[in-house]
Amino acid sequence: MRDNRDVMARNICHYMEVKGVNATEVCKALDFKQNTFSDWCNGKTYPRIDAIEKMANYFGISKAFLV
């Protein structure tokens, strides 16, 4: 079974591709630190629920599609 961090990382990257944005644009729009967001995208750490909610709203999806 894949680690939750890996699943989250894959999903964040997928929805960035779908929306046609890069990490810098997401960080700027959502006021995330670049290093923190990079850790999420690389599966090093897992975002808190408030960050997951911000990303879901930004991508126009349910939180369930990220986790």
Side-chain angles (χ1 to χ4, degrees), residues 11-41:
N11 290 339
I12 292 170
C13 292
H14 169 75
Y15 286 108
M16 283 195 310
E17 188 175 319
V18 168
K19 191 169 174 81
V21 294
N22 62 35
T24 302
E25 293 169 309
V26 175
C27 289
K28 191 172 186 177
L30 300 179
D31 197 30
F32 291 154
K33 292 181 180 175
Q34 189 79 36
N35 289 343
T36 302
F37 189 73
S38 177
D39 285 348
W40 299 339
C41 291

Side-chain angles (χ1 to χ4, degrees), residues 56 60-67:
I61 59 172
S62 166
K63 291 180 286 199
F65 288 114
L66 285 174
V67 297

Side-chain angles (χ1 to χ4, degrees), residues 50-63:
D50 60 323
I52 294 170
E53 191 166 349
K54 279 184 174 182
M55 285 188 283
N57 290 336
Y58 177 76
F59 293 128
I61 59 172
S62 166
K63 291 180 286 199

